[in-house]
Amino acid sequence: MVAIHAVPAFKDNYIWVLEESGRAAAVDPGDDAPVEEFLARRGLQLSAVIATHHHADHVGGLPALAARWKCPTFGPAREVSAELTHRFTEGERFEVPGIGIELEAIDIPGHTAGHVAFTGSGILFCGDTLFACGCGRLFEGTPPQMVASLAKLARLPKDTRVYCGHEYTLANLRFAAAVEPGNPAIAPRVAREQAKRDRGAPTLPSTLAEERATNPFLRAAEPAVRGVAEARAGRKLGDAVAVFAALREWKNAF
Ligand SMILES: [Zn+2]
């Protein structure tokens, strides 16, 4: 049984470390130091590094880890290419060396132009695209791209565990409550996530079922969400993409 550990980095990043029988794989290592410390503490050998997109807080530690452990590196076909030994686009699969699970790439442009997610065995590594109760900012993509990317992730099985790149959950829930004050799933989730933070635990992973129930960026087609977004924008909004864009703009200023 593969264990997945959260290794905190920087202010609010998580580097996800998969562990199986003394071997490990690191997902989105923005920094090599906390990964090395974790591996040493648990007596693990690193056998792979996986990256979802090119931002430094996700790949800053990748070259040093790959050099020290002489391990393969897996990531998006269209980003961080010089540092990757294996590159993936939509539908391509690989077995994580030493860990034994198979992951499949999903192209999810929006936060960055070549962002990918990796999914398999009920696990989703989605970087900075889908957050617990939120989504990433659109640095290199458009609202239609991000809406399509989030929809692909939302279609995965509802018990899929969502491992995203940052601990933003409580702040995201405050926004979700502002968007949907009448959503009965939000207050219980706030209580659950706050209890995790109070005992020093990550709020992650979440599940896709929780995200579908509470994440406003997956709920742009809901009449209540549209109504609030239109009231705030002071105009009618066209399709779900327009509602999403209005929500994203609101969140940026929230
Ligand atoms: Zn990013």
Side-chain angles (χ1 to χ4, degrees):
M1 177 67 185
V2 177
I4 304 180
H5 307 279
V7 175
F10 310 119
K11 184 164 155 270
D12 49 32
N13 281 76
Y14 290 125
I15 301 165
W16 298 107
V17 177
L18 291 75
E19 176 188 356
E20 173 65 65
S21 306
R23 310 287 293 278
V27 180
D28 282 355
D31 188 1
D32 56 305
V35 177
E36 293 290 8
E37 198 175 294
F38 182 83
L39 297 173
R41 184 151 34 92
R42 295 183 71 92
L44 301 174
Q45 290 200 304
L46 193 70
S47 53
V49 179
I50 299 168
T52 60
H53 67 293
H54 71 82
H55 284 159
D57 65 322
H58 293 251
V59 296
L62 185 149
L65 290 171
R68 154 128 163 72
W69 294 94
K70 299 187 174 30
C71 66
T73 52
F74 302 82
R78 299 179 185 88
E79 291 185 1
V80 282
S81 52
E83 291 148 354
L84 298 175
T85 59
H86 298 72
R87 301 192 272 273
F88 299 88
T89 186
E90 185 84 16
E92 295 177 339
R93 296 159 174 257
F94 68 100
E95 186 176 304
V96 184
I99 304 298
I101 65 167
E102 190 178 66
L103 295 178
E104 178 175 335
I106 308 173
D107 286 329
I108 47 169
H111 176 70
T112 63
H115 200 308
V116 295
F118 291 105
T119 189
S121 299
I123 295 161
L124 172 66
F125 296 110
C126 49
D128 288 352
T129 297
L130 175 64
F131 288 126
C133 221
C135 77
R137 288 173 185 255
L138 306 186
F139 288 119
E140 299 172 11
T142 63
Q145 283 181 320
M146 192 60 150
V147 167
S149 295
L150 290 171
K152 279 189 200 175
L153 299 181
R155 281 196 294 271
L156 292 169
K158 67 179 184 346
D159 55 353
T160 301
R161 285 173 289 152
V162 179
Y163 293 87
C164 47
H166 292 268
E167 180 61 67
Y168 291 157
T169 312
L170 290 175
N172 286 345
L173 276 161
R174 282 192 286 279
F175 179 69
V179 175
E180 280 194 284
N183 182 337
I186 292 177
R189 185 167 184 191
V190 171
R192 277 199 310 278
E193 309 297 16
Q194 185 67 58
K196 292 181 201 166
R197 298 308 287 150
D198 288 348
R199 60 173 194 269
T203 58
L204 306 169
S206 67
T207 65
L208 274 181
E210 287 178 296
E211 297 312 323
R212 288 180 201 156
T214 57
N215 189 326
F217 295 101
L218 299 184
R219 298 172 58 77
E222 295 288 324
V225 174
R226 166 182 293 275
V228 169
E230 288 183 338
R232 186 169 165 92
R235 63 191 163 89
K236 284 279 173 201
L237 297 168
D239 55 6
V241 170
V243 175
F244 170 87
L247 288 176
R248 189 57 264 181
E249 209 170 290
W250 178 6
K251 177 74 187 333
N252 290 348
F254 190 74

